[in-house]
Amino acid sequence: MLAQLIPADGGKPITIVKDVTLVGRKRDLCDLIVEGENVSKLQCILVKTDGLVFVRDLASTNGTKVNGQRVMRGALLPGDELAFANVKFKVHLGPSEEGDDEAEADSFRDETEMMNLGNAKADNSESDVRLYSDDSVV
C-alpha cells in the first residue's frame, strides 16, 4: 500500500514507508520531521497496516487534527486533511506500484523486533489495545 502525506501548501509528497512512524520536530528521535514552531517535539504516531493508516496523538500541545477536528486517535481515509498543529497535509492512500509491496516488506523484515508480552489478559488492560491468547474467542 502506498501512503503519502501531500503538503497543503505545495511541495513534494512524503511517503510513509515504515509500519510505525513517529512524527514531530525532534530530529534525533522522530522518523518524520515536521518543521513548524507549533509542532510538538513528539506530535503523533502513524501506524500503517492492511490498507489503512491510523493516527494517535501523543498529548501534543497544539493537537493533531483530521478534517479540522482535533483527535486523540483515529483512522485516516484517502483525501482526509491531516494537520500537525498548523501544518496541513492531504492523505493519499492507494495501491503500490507492481512489486513494491514485496520489496518494502523485505526491507523492513529485519528491522522488526518481536516482544514477548507474557500472559497478558484482555480484562486487566487499561489501554485501548486488548491482547488475547490464541485460544480466546473474540
Side-chain angles (χ1 to χ4, degrees):
M1 172 188 78
L2 178 65
Q4 291 182 316
L5 299 180
I6 302 166
D9 61 357
K12 185 177 175 183
I14 300 166
T15 301
I16 307 299
V17 294
K18 297 176 87 176
D19 289 339
V20 177
T21 302
L22 184 57
V23 179
R25 60 180 169 80
K26 190 161 176 74
R27 292 202 174 274
D28 58 341
L29 189 57
C30 295
D31 302 305
L32 173 57
I33 309 303
V34 179
E35 299 291 338
E37 61 186 41
N38 295 326
V39 176
S40 291
K41 291 176 187 173
L42 301 174
Q43 180 77 26
C44 70
I45 293 178
L46 298 175
V47 178
K48 184 173 83 163
T49 180
D50 296 330
L52 293 173
V53 175
F54 296 94
V55 61
R56 179 151 192 135
D57 187 75
L58 296 174
S60 62
T61 302
N62 293 305
T64 300
K65 295 180 182 178
V66 177
N67 299 325
Q69 180 71 36
R70 190 168 180 163
V71 297
M72 290 306 295
R73 63 181 178 272
L76 299 174
L77 300 173
D80 279 350
E81 180 186 82
L82 178 62
F84 310 121
N86 59 349
V87 182
K88 297 178 182 179
F89 297 89
K90 182 176 179 180
V91 176
H92 172 79
L93 303 174
S96 294
E97 294 179 19
E98 285 297 316
D100 282 352
D101 288 338
E102 189 60 36
E104 184 176 309
D106 287 341
S107 69
F108 290 108
R109 195 164 285 137
D110 293 335
E111 296 178 20
T112 303
E113 180 179 332
M114 300 300 287
M115 294 175 57
N116 183 355
L117 298 175
N119 292 328
K121 297 195 181 213
D123 53 4
N124 321 2
S125 175
E126 292 182 23
S127 81
D128 294 334
V129 177
R130 301 292 187 238
L131 302 173
Y132 295 95
S133 64
D134 290 338
D135 57 350
S136 295
V137 177
V138 180

